[in-house]
Amino acid sequence: MFRVLESAICAHGHSRGIEGTLVRRGDADYDAVWASMLWNGLKPRRFPELIVRAACEQDVVEAVRLARSHGLCVAVRSGGHSWCGSPLRSDGMLIDLSRLRRCEVDPAAGTAFVQPAVTGDELVPRLVEHGLAFPVGHCGSVAVGGYLLSGGLGWNSRALGPACRSVYEIEAVTADGEAIRCNEDEHPELLWAARGAGPGFFAVVTGFRLRLHRHPGAISSITYGFPLADVEEAANWAAETARELQPTVESTLVMATASPDTTALSPRPKVLTLTATAFADSSDEAAGLLRPLESSPFAKRALFRDTDAPASLCALNHASASFWPPQGRYAADTLWSQAPVGTLLSRLRDTIENAPSDDSLVLAPVSPASQDEDLLGDMAFSVLGESYVVPYAVWDDPADDGVNTRWLRSAMSSVEPLGTGHYIAESDLTADPSRAERSFAPDHWQRLQTLRARYDPYGVFHSYLTP
């Protein structure tokens, strides 16, 4: 295979028709390029035969045609997190879209065109200057490509729906190397799949057209911290109170080591933190939206609190990024469930208490996704439960890889019997062969298989990663 590729690639890492660079396994710079393909410091030992760093949309067309002509199976990366490293596949071709960063906002139409490597940190300021918003991911460094393809549970998504709902058109390159547009009139079924299929999508998206939303006039957050001994009671209180709150209030529970600015104790204890963020037209309205939490007697049992803290989307992204510093080593998995969130977190309490790394955490969005069918229609993305938890193993030392990945699997095994599915964006697809299928409603999964057979009958694109 290497000799076949060598004949197709000119000197200096280029191929006729491809403006970007091509790096073959065995080239002097392969190891450095390979390492840069995954943000996670923990990198799976999977090695594509050829990495194509596309410089433009046409490069993607040429790369897919090159892969077809040489029998190379294609994987794609935009530049997000991908905890389990889905883009890294042994053999085949990896198409790197990280140079496709065009972002165009049309304030009059309330729309935007973004290429897959545009990050939330780049998109939000462009929108704010026009009084517009979009439910970007909670970590601003995440590129929109994989985020939107996986559904996108982002800021204010209880009110706005998953981010993919606001994608009304994509530009894509199909398995036969054809550049097409997909919208309600052209290839609508491929657009349906692009709204949630995640890393098993059977085309390469080179651009997304987004419907934008009015930017909130005020954003305000309130935070409470509780001892882990109260985790079940506190979590269920948060979930019950959330039912009284408007959809424009987003609440998240986190079990983790207390931050230095909340306690002087050493060692710092593990705590349950509830943060609720209101997206409103005014500061007074935001305060009113959060009042059911503040007025609750249970709130007085908090170890610490930070109330009525004004915020912005940029500040929210910055705060979230502190949980996942660059160059760290990470493993994560997800679980949807019909069990109360307090039940799930109580099962995980001992797990987080005994985590080998003080940086590891368990995140549980309260009412993680809207149940409104109007916000969930016409998309592959599936809401599979009332509750949702994500354990994250976070550490620094490569010598601790084994103990931390085992910790993650142990955490998941404690709640797996209560599970109804997974979220394809952050699921550990290497944990079990059923992970991908269980990330979709059964009829959505079957429809995805039918569409894959239609649009990629010869298997040009890798399907979902498996153990």
Side-chain angles (χ1 to χ4, degrees), residues 65 131 194 288 427:
R65 291 174 179 173
S427 180

Side-chain angles (χ1 to χ4, degrees), residues 175-196:
D176 59 4
E178 180 185 1
I180 62 173
R181 290 192 176 191
C182 307
N183 50 45
E184 292 180 357
D185 300 315
E186 303 175 79
H187 306 285
E189 291 201 310
L190 201 57
L191 177 63
W192 175 88
R195 292 171 170 158

Side-chain angles (χ1 to χ4, degrees), residues 77-230:
R77 60 92 63 173
S78 300
H81 286 173
S82 187
W83 308 107
C84 64
S86 284
L88 287 183
R89 303 295 188 94
S90 288
D91 306 318
M93 174 189 290
L94 171 59
I95 300 179
D96 172 27
L97 305 177
S98 62
R99 298 178 184 177
L100 302 189
R101 312 185 72 91
R102 186 154 51 97
C103 176
E104 300 170 352
V105 180
D106 185 342
T111 61
F113 173 82
V114 292
Q115 290 189 309
V118 173
T119 66
D121 281 338
E122 294 166 337
L123 178 59
V124 167
R126 293 286 305 275
L127 301 182
V128 168
E129 64 183 89
H130 300 294
L132 297 168
F134 187 79
V136 296
H138 291 96
C139 189
S141 62
V142 170
V144 300
Y147 169 71
L148 293 174
L149 280 173
S150 296
L153 291 176
W155 290 114
N156 205 16
S157 62
R158 283 188 68 213
L160 303 178
C164 67
R165 173 182 177 265
S166 297
V167 175
Y168 70 91
E169 184 175 88
I170 63 169
E171 294 181 359
V173 178
T174 61
D176 59 4
E178 180 185 1
I180 62 173
R181 290 192 176 191
C182 307
N183 50 45
E184 292 180 357
D185 300 315
E186 303 175 79
H187 306 285
E189 291 201 310
L190 201 57
L191 177 63
W192 175 88
R195 292 171 170 158
F201 187 56
F202 29 88
V204 186
V205 180
T206 58
F208 300 85
R209 286 186 168 80
L210 314 176
R211 290 192 179 93
L212 305 176
H213 307 273
R214 185 168 57 86
H215 193 279
I219 302 173
S220 185
S221 291
I222 182 171
T223 301
Y224 297 102
F226 299 93
L228 283 194
D230 294 342

Side-chain angles (χ1 to χ4, degrees), residues 186-396:
E186 303 175 79
H187 306 285
E189 291 201 310
L190 201 57
L191 177 63
W192 175 88
R195 292 171 170 158
F201 187 56
F202 29 88
V204 186
V205 180
T206 58
F208 300 85
R209 286 186 168 80
L210 314 176
R211 290 192 179 93
L212 305 176
H213 307 273
R214 185 168 57 86
H215 193 279
I219 302 173
S220 185
S221 291
I222 182 171
T223 301
Y224 297 102
F226 299 93
L228 283 194
D230 294 342
V231 63
E232 184 165 14
E233 191 176 1
N236 286 336
W237 162 72
E240 290 165 9
T241 307
R243 296 189 186 100
E244 304 173 28
L245 302 176
Q246 293 296 315
T248 50
V249 178
E250 178 176 320
S251 303
T252 302
L253 293 159
V254 177
M255 286 199 302
T257 304
S259 64
D261 56 351
T262 60
T263 179
L265 294 175
S266 181
R268 286 179 281 128
K270 302 291 177 71
V271 296
L272 175 73
T273 301
L274 167 67
T275 301
T277 303
F279 301 86
D281 289 334
S282 67
S283 298
D284 287 346
E285 182 189 359
L289 291 172
L290 295 171
R291 194 162 292 126
L293 283 168
E294 294 189 80
S295 61
S296 169
F298 194 91
K300 295 180 172 57
R301 294 169 56 177
L303 295 170
F304 57 85
R305 70 192 68 199
D306 182 8
T307 60
D308 295 329
S312 66
L313 282 173
C314 291
L316 292 174
N317 279 345
H318 179 74
S320 294
S322 65
F323 286 110
W324 300 285
Q327 308 308 315
R329 304 175 82 80
Y330 302 91
D333 209 346
T334 65
L335 191 79
W336 290 102
S337 177
Q338 290 299 118
V341 66
T343 300
L344 297 174
L345 291 182
S346 67
R347 288 197 174 200
L348 290 163
R349 179 177 59 196
D350 290 345
T351 303
I352 199 69
E353 283 271 34
N354 299 311
S357 168
D358 282 342
D359 295 325
S360 294
L361 62 128
V362 174
L363 181 146
V366 182
S367 301
S370 171
Q371 303 293 322
D372 186 341
E373 285 300 320
D374 289 341
L375 298 180
L376 297 172
D378 203 26
M379 62 180 70
F381 172 75
S382 305
V383 175
L384 301 173
E386 294 282 346
S387 303
Y388 175 68
V389 291
V390 193
Y392 294 95
V394 184
W395 71 102
D396 295 316

